[in-house]
């Protein structure tokens, strides 16, 4: 029966450490949103560019901005 106290203490330490890691990720999310981006899981979707990280696995991406220059053949 005494082992339950030890398991409870171990469980408490694990939960506490994971909650601290979550709190550290919030500034990355806020910084990404302030710069006009969005956080995605593992990779950026099509037509977006990577310009930072929200967390280790979540890139911060924003839409591509075209230069307005057409690189195709121009016929007159």
């Amino acid at each position: 029966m005494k082992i339950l106290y030890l398991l409870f203490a171990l469980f408490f330490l694990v939960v506490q450490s994971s909650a601290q890691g979550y709190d550290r990720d919030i500034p990355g999310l806020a910084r990404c949103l302030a710069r006009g981006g969005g956080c995605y899981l593992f990779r950026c979707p099509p037509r977006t560019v990577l310009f930072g990280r929200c967390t280790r696995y979540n890139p911060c991406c924003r839409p591509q901005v075209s230069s307005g220059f057409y690189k195709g053949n121009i016929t007159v």
Side-chain angles (χ1 to χ4, degrees):
M1 218 41 189
K2 289 184 180 186
I3 195 163
L4 290 177
Y5 294 109
L6 293 173
L7 289 175
F8 178 73
L10 181 65
F11 177 74
F12 178 73
L13 289 174
V14 169
V15 169
Q16 183 182 8
S17 66
S18 67
Q20 289 174 352
Y22 180 74
D23 289 344
R24 274 186 252 131
D25 297 340
I26 297 299
L29 172 65
R31 189 178 327 119
C32 180
L33 294 175
R35 293 174 62 191
C39 295
Y40 297 93
L41 186 62
F42 297 121
R43 62 184 177 139
C44 294
R47 298 190 186 122
T48 59
V49 291
L50 171 73
F51 73 99
R53 291 254 172 222
C54 298
T55 64
R56 176 185 284 181
Y57 301 108
N58 298 0
C60 183
C61 308
R62 64 178 165 198
Q64 275 184 330
V65 178
S66 66
S67 64
F69 182 73
Y70 179 70
K71 296 181 182 178
N73 295 334
I74 299 175
T75 57
V76 179

